[in-house]
Amino acid sequence: MVIIAAFMLSIPVFANASTADDLLASYKRLGAGNFSAEAGKAMWNKPYKDSATGQDRSCATCHHSNLSLRGEHATTGKAIEPMAVSVNPKRLKDAAFIEKWFNRNCKWTIGRECTPQEKGNFLMFIKNQ
């Protein structure tokens, strides 16, 4: 019984690891090098100047520096579920969803699409939360 329960509890972890690991492998095929959670964390908290408003924004503007907290979109006020997989196991399960939000949020925050290296660094940071 204990073995079955332990196996059942491990399934979401494998599912998260598989999707994120598949994405990391695809980014490597696109030319990325080794990924760094520290580089992802630094970029997550780095302020970028919005060309239209002149205001600083970062990933943490909407998602917090503590990824276990619920966020709020800076413009719309819409609630954002925590990014940390430890408190939101659904976070890294859907590759299309992840790519959709990388596309939108990189453009909104940084002003351009993220490179495969940057996406991999972000994923490593989020996976470790």
Side-chain angles (χ1 to χ4, degrees):
M1 187 69 133
V2 172
I3 294 171
I4 292 171
F7 176 75
M8 295 302 289
L9 290 173
S10 68
I11 289 173
V13 173
F14 289 134
N16 288 337
S18 179
T19 300
D21 290 345
D22 289 348
L23 284 171
L24 291 170
S26 73
Y27 300 149
K28 284 216 175 210
R29 286 191 297 274
L30 294 172
N34 293 328
F35 300 114
S36 163
E38 285 302 313
K41 180 180 180 180
M43 197 168 174
W44 184 271
N45 292 300
K46 180 180 176 182
Y48 297 89
K49 187 80 63 195
D50 177 41
S51 62
T53 65
Q55 294 180 334
D56 286 339
R57 55 173 68 160
S58 69
C59 302
T61 300
C62 298
H63 297 283
H64 292 286
S65 293
N66 179 347
L67 278 58
S68 65
L69 299 175
R70 186 178 232 186
E72 181 180 298
H73 192 275
T75 304
T76 66
K78 181 180 174 185
I80 302 171
E81 294 302 313
M83 295 297 293
V85 175
S86 60
V87 295
N88 184 2
K90 297 178 186 174
R91 184 51 74 184
L92 297 181
K93 284 190 169 184
D94 183 340
F97 184 82
I98 294 167
E99 283 297 325
K100 169 187 161 184
W101 287 105
F102 268 146
N103 187 42
R104 287 187 186 181
N105 289 345
C106 288
K107 287 179 182 175
W108 189 82
T109 304
I110 302 171
R112 60 171 171 77
E113 291 187 25
C114 287
T115 67
Q117 183 70 52
E118 292 166 336
K119 291 179 187 179
N121 291 340
F122 280 131
L123 271 184
M124 291 298 291
F125 173 56
I126 295 167
K127 271 180 62 171
N128 293 333
Q129 301 302 305

